[in-house]
Amino acid sequence: MVAQIYAWRTVNRLSVPAIVARLNNDPAAYPPPGGQPGWNKPGVTKILANPKYTGHMVFGRRRKTGDGRSRPVPPDQWIWTPQPVHPAIIDQATWEQAQRTGAERGNVRDPETPRGRRGRRYVLRSRIRCRAC
């Protein structure tokens, strides 16, 4: 499933909601993890952001600050093991391409992504204001 998620992200350039919709449309082929009722966006986002699927161990992705909180560290400061330490599901180039694809996409909606709410769609929403507003 992880390899398929990365393929959808890198080859088809799908958004996370579109990937979640594809996974949930075929639960027999892609059963949700941990007995959950279905796949969700945070779970797929974590899979796409996790460099450990490349077979390398990665250290220093988060650092503690003076107040005891943990903050993310930029990827160029991460410490990667020189050689893979376990079998890789994807190669490092695919992981890097998935990160670039996510950064390039921005907030573009895929045509196959289901809409969040059903009902009326106001074409001029947030475009027209009354004089009192």
Side-chain angles (χ1 to χ4, degrees), residues 70-92:
S70 178
R71 303 271 185 215
V73 174
D76 61 339
Q77 296 178 13
W78 295 353
I79 302 167
W80 292 67
T81 56
Q83 300 297 325
V85 294
H86 55 82
I89 297 174
I90 58 164
D91 59 3
Q92 194 166 354

Side-chain angles (χ1 to χ4, degrees), residues 78-113:
W78 295 353
I79 302 167
W80 292 67
T81 56
Q83 300 297 325
V85 294
H86 55 82
I89 297 174
I90 58 164
D91 59 3
Q92 194 166 354
T94 302
W95 183 83
E96 290 170 358
Q97 176 61 39
Q99 307 315 301
R100 283 192 301 273
T101 301
E104 292 168 1
R105 282 192 52 84
N107 61 355
V108 177
R109 179 185 290 270
D110 292 317
E112 68 184 69
T113 304

Side-chain angles (χ1 to χ4, degrees), residues 29-84:
Y30 309 110
Q36 295 177 355
W39 288 87
N40 56 27
K41 289 188 276 186
V44 172
T45 301
K46 285 182 183 179
I47 289 172
L48 288 169
N50 194 342
K52 293 182 182 179
Y53 293 115
T54 62
H56 292 267
M57 291 299 293
V58 181
F59 302 97
R61 292 175 24 184
R62 299 186 69 82
R63 290 208 182 106
K64 288 195 176 188
T65 60
D67 59 359
R69 294 182 182 181
S70 178
R71 303 271 185 215
V73 174
D76 61 339
Q77 296 178 13
W78 295 353
I79 302 167
W80 292 67
T81 56
Q83 300 297 325

